[in-house]
Amino acid sequence: MKRASTMEFLLMIIERREDRASRGEAEGRALYDEMVRFGEELTRRGQLLASRSLRPDKHGVRMQQAQGKSVLRDGPFAEAKEMVGGFYLIQCASRDEALAIAARCPAARFASVEVRECAPCYVG
């Protein structure tokens, strides 16, 4: 439920493509469990709207419309050294609060957490 006078932010976990493959299963599960607990904390505070972990981009497809036809390109996407590994969609009072939440995110230790305010695409 949206709190009064809040803004929505997307915290995107940007990780190096090879990092997941270099971790063992035990380490990967431990990091995932820590991220789940972080999401549960945000839920208790009434700030989490959604969160998901994403499969590596080698499982992704990019789609574009060109001359009325769909053009598909399978991942991994060679031009990118990093991939979006997951996200948290949060609500909070300000950009500063979103940055403070991002600083507490466990992923900030092993990846970048990109903080983006949600807004209509016509807002600059």
Side-chain angles (χ1 to χ4, degrees):
M1 179 178 298
K2 192 167 184 170
R3 300 182 314 176
S5 67
T6 61
M7 305 163 73
E8 293 180 358
F9 289 87
L10 185 66
L11 309 182
M12 290 185 291
I13 312 306
I14 312 294
E15 55 186 304
R16 292 182 308 172
R17 184 179 285 129
E18 66 273 5
D19 282 355
R20 286 189 185 185
S22 69
R23 291 184 198 114
E25 184 176 341
E27 181 183 4
R29 285 183 181 271
L31 288 172
Y32 181 78
D33 290 344
E34 192 175 355
M35 299 291 286
V36 168
R37 287 191 302 274
F38 176 70
E40 289 169 347
E41 172 197 334
L42 293 173
T43 298
R44 281 190 298 277
R45 296 170 58 138
Q47 294 180 296
L48 185 67
L49 299 174
S51 67
R52 295 291 183 273
S53 178
L54 302 173
R55 292 187 77 186
D57 67 344
K58 70 182 179 182
H59 301 283
V61 177
R62 288 189 179 171
M63 192 283 297
Q64 241 179 335
Q65 291 290 322
Q67 299 174 345
K69 294 183 182 183
S70 293
V71 178
L72 305 177
R73 196 166 88 227
D74 292 331
F77 310 111
E79 68 279 4
K81 295 179 183 173
E82 299 172 314
M83 64 178 189
V84 178
F87 69 89
Y88 294 91
L89 179 60
I90 63 170
Q91 59 185 4
C92 54
S94 67
R95 180 178 181 264
D96 288 340
E97 185 179 6
L99 291 169
I101 292 169
R104 292 195 325 265
C105 180
R109 294 193 320 267
F110 60 86
S112 296
V113 180
E114 184 175 328
V115 178
R116 303 271 300 272
E117 184 178 355
C118 297
C121 62
Y122 54 81
V123 174

